[in-house]
Amino acid sequence: NPPQSTPKSPKAGPIQSRISQVQDAFDSCDAVISPSRYLLDQMIHGGFNLPQGRHIPNGTPDPWAKAGEVVAPPSMPPLAPTPARPLRFLHIGPLVNHPGTDVLVAAARHLDPAQATLDIYGPTDMFPAYTGPLVEAAKSIPALTFKGPLPMDQVHQEMARSDALLHGARWAENAPLTLLEARANHLPVIAPRIGGIPEQIIDGENG
C-alpha cells in the first residue's frame, strides 16, 4: 500500500505563505535591527535566515533632565506605604487580553486601600465585551480605579506621582515602550520575566 500523506491544516497554506513573505523581506535587506535580543533569537530559532542581526535598544529622553544634562538614575526606593498616603500602583496601556488587565483587576481585590491603590489608564470602549465586566467589577474593589485614556502629555506627571508601574503580560513581548517611559521617570516596574522584558527590567535595580 502506498504511504498515506498526513492531512494538512487548512491554515498551513496561509501560514507558509506568510513565512515566505517574511523571509523574502529579510533577503532584500542588508541588516535586521531589533530593539530586543529576544526577538532576534526567536527569528533565528524559527528558522529565518537573517542577513545581519543587530540589537539596538529603543531610547527615550529623560523628561526631567535639562538640555545636554546626563542624569544618573537613583537607586530603587523600598516600596512601602507612608503615614501620609498608601502606595500608588499604576498601569497604562491598551485594556485587552494579552496585557492581562483582568489579572491586575483580580490582584487588586487583595489590596487594602489604606495600604495600596491601583489606577488603570486606557480606553474602556475599544473592546467593551472584555473591559465591560472588569469596569463593573471595579465598582466593588475600593483600591481599584479605571481612569480612562491618559493623554501623552500627562504620562510623565502620572508616573512621577506613582510608586510602581504594573505591567501584566500574558505572553512574550518584544520591548514594551511603557517600560521604557517608566525607566526614564525612574519608576520601578513590576512585570513578568518573559520575552524581552528582562532585558529592560533588572530585579532589584529598577523593578
Side-chain angles (χ1 to χ4, degrees):
N1 295 332
Q4 295 182 351
S5 60
T6 303
K8 294 184 178 181
S9 166
K11 296 182 179 180
I15 291 176
Q16 187 58 48
S17 176
R18 173 63 175 170
I19 291 175
S20 298
Q21 290 175 6
V22 173
Q23 184 60 65
D24 288 345
F26 286 151
D27 292 342
S28 67
C29 298
D30 296 315
V32 175
I33 298 173
S34 170
S36 72
R37 294 185 181 88
Y38 165 80
L39 184 59
L40 283 178
D41 291 342
Q42 289 300 300
M43 288 295 181
I44 295 171
H45 292 163
F48 288 104
N49 181 26
L50 304 186
Q52 184 178 2
R54 293 185 179 181
H55 167 232
I56 302 179
N58 286 325
T60 187
D62 190 321
W64 310 109
K66 298 178 181 179
E69 180 183 13
V70 177
V71 179
S75 57
M76 186 178 70
L79 296 181
T82 67
R85 65 168 180 83
L87 282 173
R88 292 187 180 124
F89 292 118
L90 172 68
H91 174 75
I92 304 174
L95 306 185
V96 291
N97 180 60
H98 70 269
T101 308
D102 57 300
V103 176
L104 300 180
V105 171
R109 293 185 182 276
H110 302 281
L111 294 178
D112 177 357
Q115 297 292 314
T117 61
L118 169 59
D119 290 337
I120 295 180
Y121 283 93
T124 59
D125 56 354
M126 291 182 63
F127 301 95
Y130 176 76
T131 57
L134 301 180
V135 173
E136 186 64 26
K139 296 178 181 178
S140 62
I141 305 176
L144 174 63
T145 305
F146 278 90
K147 295 282 194 175
L150 181 64
M152 285 299 298
D153 60 357
Q154 297 179 24
V155 169
H156 297 311
Q157 287 76 9
E158 193 61 31
M159 286 186 170
R161 64 183 292 273
S162 300
D163 295 298
L165 178 80
L166 302 188
H167 185 81
R170 267 204 163 86
W171 56 69
E173 296 188 32
N174 179 20
L177 293 178
T178 306
L179 272 57
L180 197 63
E181 291 173 322
R183 293 174 60 193
N185 283 276
H186 313 310
L187 178 66
V189 175
I190 300 174
R193 194 179 288 111
I194 58 176
I197 293 176
E199 297 178 31
Q200 296 193 48
I201 307 303
I202 309 302
D203 188 26
E205 292 186 11
N206 54 11

